[in-house]
């Protein structure tokens, strides 16, 4: 029986395998897709994930116990330098990199290697402590460390792109944006805390396939969230589940905790790429009318949403050496999805067919129709050295990819229609953000999404995994 106060229920709530028809792929647990190289090995309706769950929980337990011994000594220490945590477990090179975490050419791949795959945990902890948020919000150090370890482990390491390293990269980018003059002098400590946590959790438990894939395979997450911002809703619910499981905010008044959970969700939901034009249009209108006032809490929250959107797709604005690695990883993930679709005779999603797409033309289309319009408007809002640096890298990277497109004899950028990258621009029902409502701490979050014609309330919020 599900406890009403538990939003992270590892069960099959809303998932009826018998109702999915006779197609085996409809019951796949997409966490395991990257583990199977042959279609005959893909699990069918009778597959049980008990084995992986046990191993996963054991790894989580061992990961946490590894830090528990030192955490006991650190509990209650008032002015802890997070670099001291790295003294025993990590190399001096990782410490030196953290001292340069404000630079835009920060190499998250190198940092992840130096921290033995713990880039998200150590980086996020460091940034939260740099701002003094542990002391200000009286966050229990053991609970915070456990929360970050669990967040990192709930990212799928076998995903080429949507993994914990991507989350760490987005968190580092978000930190750079939070330091921009306009934001630094206006944001509250709560804004900063939410911004960093949203960046760290924005793709939590990403299955490595996109929303159209989940919809056309009748996946239970698509049913649960009614085909609207399916992945983003799942990322948010998963993050809230971990917050409650660890009790990170349990010492706060119930109303404050619920409000922070709702605002966290509003930030994560803004990363839905299918709503790009909606947010970009609103941003452009504010800038044209010059009516963004960062003394206004709702305006600050909107800017946090735009900052997170920028951080999420900032790879093309990084130096070429870093940007190219991200391009390779996201293309690998796209093509892997396409291979799965071909094996099961599904329509191959746009950008996912390795026979008709190349890394270069995918990147050209993405830069032209998604990244550049957003970062041009961000530079209007925050005309700084950083914004100009990002646009400079974007231009150089786009030129390099353009040269590769010509070498490949592929379509030129002019031949790519703005609507052709449907992977990025697939329309979804408009979701109206609403202010968090007060609720009892024992109640699960009541999330409201509204379309033009109806309003849907989700009372029960399972974590979304089929693990038990």
């Amino acid at each position: 029986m599900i406890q009403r106060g538990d939003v992270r229920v590892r069960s099959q709530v809303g998932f009826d395998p018998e109702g999915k028809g006779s197609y085996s792929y409809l019951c796949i647990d997409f966490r395991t897709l990257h583990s199977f190289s042959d279609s005959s090995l893909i699990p069918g309706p009778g597959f049980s994930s008990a084995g992986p769950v046990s191993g996963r929980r054991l790894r989580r337990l061992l990961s946490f116990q590894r830090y528990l011994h030192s955490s006991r000594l650190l509990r209650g220490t008032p002015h802890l330098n997070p670099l001291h945590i790295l003294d025993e477990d990590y190399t001096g090179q990782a410490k030196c990199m953290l001292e340069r975490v404000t630079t835009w050419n920060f190499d998250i791949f190198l940092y992840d290697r130096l921290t033995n795959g713990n880039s998200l945990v150590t980086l996020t902890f460091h940034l939260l402590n740099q701002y003094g948020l542990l002391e200000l919000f009286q966050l229990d150090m053991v609970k915070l460390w456990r929360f970050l370890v669990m967040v990192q482990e709930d990212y799928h390491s076998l995903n080429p792109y949507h993994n914990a390293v991507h989350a760490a990269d987005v968190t580092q980018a978000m930190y750079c944006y939070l330091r921009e003059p306009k934001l630094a002098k206006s944001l509250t400590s709560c804004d900063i805390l939410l911004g960093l946590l949203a960046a760290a959790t924005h793709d939590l438990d990403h299955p490595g396939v996109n929303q159209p894939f989940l919809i056309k395979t009748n996946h239970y997450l698509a049913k649960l969230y009614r085909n609207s911002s399916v992945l983003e809703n799942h990322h948010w619910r998963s993050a809230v589940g971990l917050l409650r499981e660890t009790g990170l905010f349990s010492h706060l008044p119930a109303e404050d905790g619920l409000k922070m959970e709702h605002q966290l969700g509003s930030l994560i939901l803004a990363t839905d790429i299918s709503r790009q034009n909606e947010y970009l249009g609103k941003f452009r209108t504010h800038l044209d009318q010059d009516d963004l006032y960062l003394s206004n809490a709702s305006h600050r929250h909107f800017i946090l949403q735009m900052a997170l959107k920028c951080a999420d797709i900032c790879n093309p604005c990084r130096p070429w050496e870093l940007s190219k690695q991200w391009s390779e990883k996201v293309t690998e993930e796209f093509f892997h999805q396409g291979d799965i679709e071909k094996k099961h005779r599904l329509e191959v999603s746009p950008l996912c067919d390795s026979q008709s797409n190349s890394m270069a033309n995918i990147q050209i289309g993405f830069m032209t129709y998604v990244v550049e319009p957003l970062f041009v408007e961000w530079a209007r809002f925050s005309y700084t050295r950083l914004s100009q640096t990002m646009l400079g890298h974007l231009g150089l990277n786009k030129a390099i990819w353009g040269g590769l497109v010509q070498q490949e004899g592929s379509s030129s950028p002019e031949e790519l229609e703005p609507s052709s990258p449907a992977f990025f621009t697939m329309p979804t029902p408009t979701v109206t953000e609403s202010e968090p409502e007060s609720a009892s701490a024992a109640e699960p979050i009541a999330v409201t999404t509204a379309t033009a014609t109806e309003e849907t309330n989700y009372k029960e919020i399972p974590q979304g995994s089929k693990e038990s």
Side-chain angles (χ1 to χ4, degrees):
M1 182 176 180
I2 300 171
Q3 294 182 4
R4 297 187 45 153
D6 188 0
V7 297
R8 195 168 186 268
V9 180
R10 292 187 177 275
S11 66
Q12 297 185 9
V13 174
F15 174 60
D16 177 15
E18 299 300 324
K20 290 180 177 292
S22 59
Y23 299 100
S24 61
Y25 61 81
L26 297 183
C27 299
I28 294 172
D29 181 351
F30 294 109
R31 291 168 175 269
T32 65
L33 284 178
H34 295 286
S35 302
F36 299 95
S37 57
D38 185 83
S39 60
S40 64
L41 298 178
I42 294 180
F47 175 73
S48 171
S49 58
V53 173
S54 299
R56 186 185 180 112
R57 288 179 176 171
L58 178 61
R59 288 194 301 274
R60 172 176 292 173
L61 177 62
L62 293 176
S63 297
F64 179 57
Q65 290 203 358
R66 177 189 174 194
Y67 302 109
L68 186 58
H69 177 71
S70 59
S71 296
R72 286 171 181 159
L73 301 177
L74 299 175
R75 185 195 293 269
T77 304
H79 297 289
L80 175 70
N81 185 339
L83 296 182
H84 293 167
I85 293 176
L86 298 179
D87 283 340
E88 295 180 1
D89 292 339
Y90 305 105
T91 67
Q93 289 177 296
K95 291 172 55 182
C96 291
M97 286 199 70
L98 276 184
E99 293 172 350
R100 296 184 286 106
V101 72
T102 59
T103 59
W104 187 245
N105 61 353
F106 187 84
D107 188 341
I108 196 64
F109 300 110
L110 175 59
Y111 181 73
D112 191 66
R113 292 194 294 271
L114 293 175
T115 57
N116 193 30
N118 289 293
S119 56
L120 183 58
V121 174
T122 55
L123 177 72
T124 308
F125 189 96
H126 172 73
L127 298 180
L128 293 172
N129 204 63
Q130 282 287 98
Y131 275 112
L133 298 175
L134 280 74
E135 184 176 3
L136 186 62
F137 287 92
Q138 298 182 332
L139 300 179
D140 183 282
M141 192 172 302
V142 174
K143 289 181 179 180
L144 175 60
W145 195 263
R146 180 174 180 242
F147 170 75
L148 294 176
V149 167
M150 293 171 75
V151 165
Q152 180 173 274
E153 292 185 351
D154 271 4
Y155 279 95
H156 300 190
S157 60
L158 293 179
N159 287 348
Y161 182 83
H162 290 103
N163 52 42
V165 183
H166 166 65
D169 185 63
V170 172
T171 303
Q172 189 271 339
M174 188 68 167
Y175 177 64
C176 291
Y177 300 153
L178 296 179
R179 288 173 51 86
E180 290 287 78
K182 273 191 175 182
L183 278 70
K185 68 181 182 181
S186 304
L187 296 179
T188 66
S189 297
C190 187
D191 294 331
I192 294 170
L193 176 63
L194 287 169
L196 293 176
L197 290 181
T201 61
H202 80 284
D203 274 332
L204 191 58
D205 200 31
H206 196 293
V209 292
N210 64 1
Q211 175 172 291
F213 183 92
L214 297 180
I215 293 174
K216 68 186 173 185
T217 57
N218 201 26
H219 194 267
Y220 77 109
L221 286 177
K223 282 187 173 182
L224 181 64
Y225 300 121
R226 305 192 180 186
N227 299 344
S228 179
S229 297
V230 174
L231 288 170
E232 292 73 26
N233 271 298
H234 178 56
H235 304 326
W236 169 30
R237 272 40 169 229
S238 299
V240 169
L242 290 183
L243 285 172
R244 296 188 178 187
E245 185 174 335
T246 58
L248 184 60
F249 293 155
S250 61
H251 62 291
L252 299 177
E255 184 176 348
D256 292 347
L258 284 174
K259 183 176 180 179
M260 292 184 75
E261 290 174 355
H262 280 233
Q263 290 179 329
L264 181 70
S266 179
L267 292 175
I268 294 175
L269 288 172
T271 63
D272 185 349
I273 200 70
S274 66
R275 299 178 62 192
Q276 180 82 354
N277 291 336
E278 172 192 339
Y279 280 94
L280 185 59
K282 183 178 178 181
F283 193 31
R284 186 177 288 127
T285 298
H286 276 304
L287 294 175
D288 289 343
Q289 298 178 356
D290 193 23
D291 61 355
L292 274 174
Y293 305 108
L294 297 187
S295 57
N296 182 300
S298 64
H299 286 194
R300 289 198 308 274
H301 186 76
F302 175 68
I303 291 300
L304 281 179
Q305 289 177 318
M306 299 308 300
L308 183 57
K309 288 179 68 63
C310 287
D312 189 27
I313 61 171
C314 72
N315 302 150
C317 300
R318 297 282 193 180
W320 170 254
E321 295 77 12
L322 299 175
S323 180
K324 182 174 181 290
Q325 292 184 68
W326 286 119
S327 300
E328 293 168 347
K329 291 177 182 297
V330 75
T331 304
E332 179 185 353
E333 193 166 297
F334 288 171
F335 290 170
H336 185 269
Q337 175 179 323
D339 291 343
I340 295 170
E341 291 167 330
K342 290 177 183 178
K343 285 178 182 178
H344 296 287
R345 299 182 180 180
L346 298 169
E347 181 183 356
V348 179
S349 300
L351 309 184
C352 295
D353 190 345
S354 59
Q355 301 301 314
S356 58
N357 292 282
S358 71
M359 187 189 319
N361 63 37
I362 289 174
Q363 288 303 307
I364 285 288
F366 183 54
M367 291 179 176
T368 302
Y369 301 109
V370 179
V371 180
E372 191 170 14
L374 177 61
F375 280 86
V376 166
E377 298 306 319
W378 181 262
R380 286 180 62 196
F381 166 72
S382 177
Y383 189 83
T384 63
R385 180 178 179 180
L386 174 59
S387 64
Q388 297 308 300
T389 297
M390 292 190 297
L391 287 176
H393 286 311
L394 178 63
L396 291 174
N397 295 338
K398 187 175 177 181
I400 294 174
W401 287 121
L404 293 175
V405 166
Q406 292 181 350
Q407 291 177 18
E408 295 169 354
S410 303
S411 299
S412 67
E414 289 75 14
E415 293 172 333
L416 291 172
E417 293 296 328
S419 59
S420 63
F423 186 91
F424 306 111
T425 60
M426 184 194 71
T428 59
T430 301
V431 180
T432 304
E433 302 289 355
S434 59
E435 290 298 321
E437 299 176 1
S438 60
S440 169
E443 293 292 326
I445 297 178
V447 183
T448 302
T449 57
T451 65
T453 60
E454 66 179 359
E455 186 177 81
T456 303
N457 292 319
Y458 296 100
K459 295 293 184 181
E460 297 293 344
I461 308 176
Q463 186 262 354
S465 168
K466 292 190 290 180
E467 297 177 359
S468 56

